[in-house]
Amino acid sequence: MAQGSIKIGVLTGGGDCPGLNAVIRAVVKTCLYSDSGRRISVVGIRDGFLGLIQGRAEPLTDRAVSGILPRGGTILGSSNRDNPFDFDGEIDGQPVRGDVGDRVLANVDEMGLDGLVVIGGDGTLSIAHRLSGMGVPVVGVPKTIDNDIAATDQTFGFDSALSIATEAVDRLHTTAESHHRVMVLEVMGRYAGWIALHAGVAGGGDVILIPEIPFSMGKVIEKIEDRCARGKTFSIVVVAEGAHETGRDPVFYRTVEKGFEKRRLGGISRVVGDAIEEATGLESRVTILGHVQRGGSPTAFDRILGTNLGVYAAKMILDGQAGTMAALQGTRIVGVPLEDAISHAKRVDPGCQLVEAARAVGTAFGD
Ligand code: F6P
């Protein structure tokens, strides 16, 4: 890394989540307040990798990051459609398709970047890893409400989404009780059941359906009927968007051409709600929580985790430890190789203590 004056870039890629601004702020402040004796400046790349492809960046000063800690979203903008190695968009007003990795390298050079902090989920971190292999000094920060990144115990954004999902379960409880209904709540999480499991336990769901434990509709119905037989007049089902019946595919509501995810998950709650109503005659209602889970202010936990990760990532990039990712392990932030983070997706272990605890208090998983 150059001595004297240094320029660091920051970008946020993939779906947004609460806590991104806490990380950006921490990176900027750590760089600007560094006592390394070097003159350090930070630029924010606009709209994820799209900005790196199109060469769009702006200075991130102390003033630019002032007051952003409690703000949801990302002040830099994000994109989950633009992969430099499979691009389909515009450059300098011209349509371009294909691998534009060289263009990214040229822009990194032109912007004079000595390091790049990439804040993102698995898709974004995989691109970061590839860029790292091409010589770009990259440090990653794991982000996603889904909590499905390996090599870190938790991602920031998860706790905020969880608190919203839990509140939703609480709210559904009171109306379910009043009307003697079955309420089915669908939460996000892609192919991991972290949000559903945790919100289901925190909110006291009667049935929790997660992708890691394929379910039988018959068993779900059995559980609802059993509650009725025991005099319970309502039930709550928390279902992860990626949950599926044994031997069946997850439910998708749309297929698209562009983006990291070509098939959009959603709709399993309707399948479950309809089946319950048909089989039991109990009135059922479905709520798909959707992007409410990703919006708004981060929890205190996510602000703290985001700050800790951002500070650590900035220090790693200034120390020349590229090709790494800041990760939470236990109560400490550590550096791990980027490839460890993208090696596999972190899923709920069906035999884990929390699943066991949920079963112990009578929660059914439909298996
Ligand atoms: O990865 C975060 C996430 O919110 C998933 O839980 C969800 O499946 C997906 O993103 C939704 O993506 P989009 O915002 O592109 O609809």
Side-chain angles (χ1 to χ4, degrees):
M1 181 169 294
Q3 294 299 311
S5 99
I6 291 174
K7 198 193 243 186
I8 303 296
V10 188
L11 77 76
T12 52
D16 72 341
C17 79
L20 282 165
N21 288 325
V23 181
I24 296 167
R25 171 181 175 272
V27 170
V28 172
K29 287 190 180 255
T30 305
C31 287
L32 298 187
Y33 298 162
S34 159
D35 56 9
S36 66
R38 298 171 291 187
R39 204 152 33 82
I40 304 169
S41 60
V42 186
V43 292
I45 316 292
R46 298 294 316 183
D47 302 326
F49 287 113
L50 185 61
L52 209 50
I53 294 164
Q54 297 176 334
R56 291 187 289 118
E58 63 196 43
L60 284 178
T61 59
D62 203 8
R63 177 174 280 231
V65 297
S66 175
I68 68 170
L69 182 58
R71 261 169 65 183
T74 161
I75 59 163
L76 298 177
S78 192
S79 159
N80 54 3
R81 290 162 48 129
D82 300 294
N83 177 351
F85 303 108
D86 182 19
F87 186 63
D88 182 5
E90 280 192 3
I91 300 178
D92 298 332
Q94 299 300 316
V96 177
R97 283 183 97 135
D99 185 337
V100 292
D102 287 348
R103 170 89 189 194
V104 166
L105 292 190
N107 282 340
V108 166
D109 208 38
E110 202 166 298
M111 288 175 191
L113 298 183
D114 298 293
L116 180 66
V117 176
V118 174
I119 311 165
D122 59 349
T124 303
L125 293 173
S126 298
I127 294 170
H129 179 246
R130 200 157 158 190
L131 288 175
S132 166
M134 292 165 69
V136 181
V138 176
V139 166
V141 179
K143 158 246 68 156
T144 169
I145 64 164
D146 304 334
N147 197 33
D148 61 354
I149 310 278
T152 186
D153 289 349
Q154 193 163 320
T155 52
F156 73 86
F158 171 65
D159 187 67
S160 303
L162 172 60
S163 80
I164 293 160
T166 303
E167 190 192 341
V169 179
D170 290 347
R171 287 178 183 275
L172 290 173
H173 247 116
T174 60
T175 171
E177 201 168 5
S178 308
H179 289 273
H180 315 302
R181 283 174 172 163
V182 178
M183 292 295 189
V184 184
L185 173 68
E186 179 173 318
V187 296
M188 284 184 165
R190 289 204 304 174
Y191 300 97
W194 297 104
I195 300 177
L197 173 63
H198 284 244
V201 171
D206 306 299
V207 179
I208 299 173
L209 304 175
I210 58 175
E212 295 86 345
I213 305 179
F215 65 92
S216 134
M217 200 67 86
K219 294 274 184 192
V220 173
I221 290 162
E222 230 173 70
K223 171 69 182 175
I224 305 291
E225 284 174 337
D226 177 59
R227 279 180 56 79
C228 282
R230 287 185 293 113
K232 308 272 185 172
T233 61
F234 69 93
S235 292
I236 304 288
V237 179
V238 182
V239 54
E241 62 181 358
H244 57 92
E245 288 178 76
T246 309
R248 295 210 173 168
D249 284 340
V251 176
F252 299 93
Y253 72 92
R254 192 150 178 220
T255 302
V256 290
E257 276 187 15
K258 276 189 173 185
F260 293 129
E261 299 282 355
K262 303 284 187 259
R263 296 198 295 172
R264 294 189 189 151
L265 283 165
I268 182 66
S269 53
R270 287 193 211 291
V271 176
V272 172
D274 286 352
I276 292 173
E277 185 159 311
E278 210 163 287
T280 64
L282 295 167
E283 249 198 291
S284 304
R285 293 288 189 275
V286 164
T287 303
I288 300 181
L289 201 51
H291 290 79
V292 170
Q293 289 158 101
R294 279 202 349 217
S297 191
T299 56
F301 181 91
D302 278 338
R303 295 179 201 191
I304 293 166
L305 179 57
T307 300
N308 261 333
L309 289 169
V311 168
Y312 203 90
K315 286 185 175 168
M316 285 204 292
I317 206 107
L318 294 177
D319 287 351
Q321 295 174 45
T324 54
M325 181 185 84
L328 176 69
Q329 290 187 356
T331 55
R332 295 200 56 76
I333 308 294
V334 297
V336 296
L338 254 179
E339 61 195 71
D340 288 5
I342 59 165
S343 60
H344 63 281
K346 190 178 67 182
R347 302 278 187 249
V348 173
D349 170 3
C352 73
Q353 216 171 16
L354 189 56
V355 170
E356 273 179 19
R359 290 192 197 275
V361 296
T363 307
F365 286 85
D367 57 338

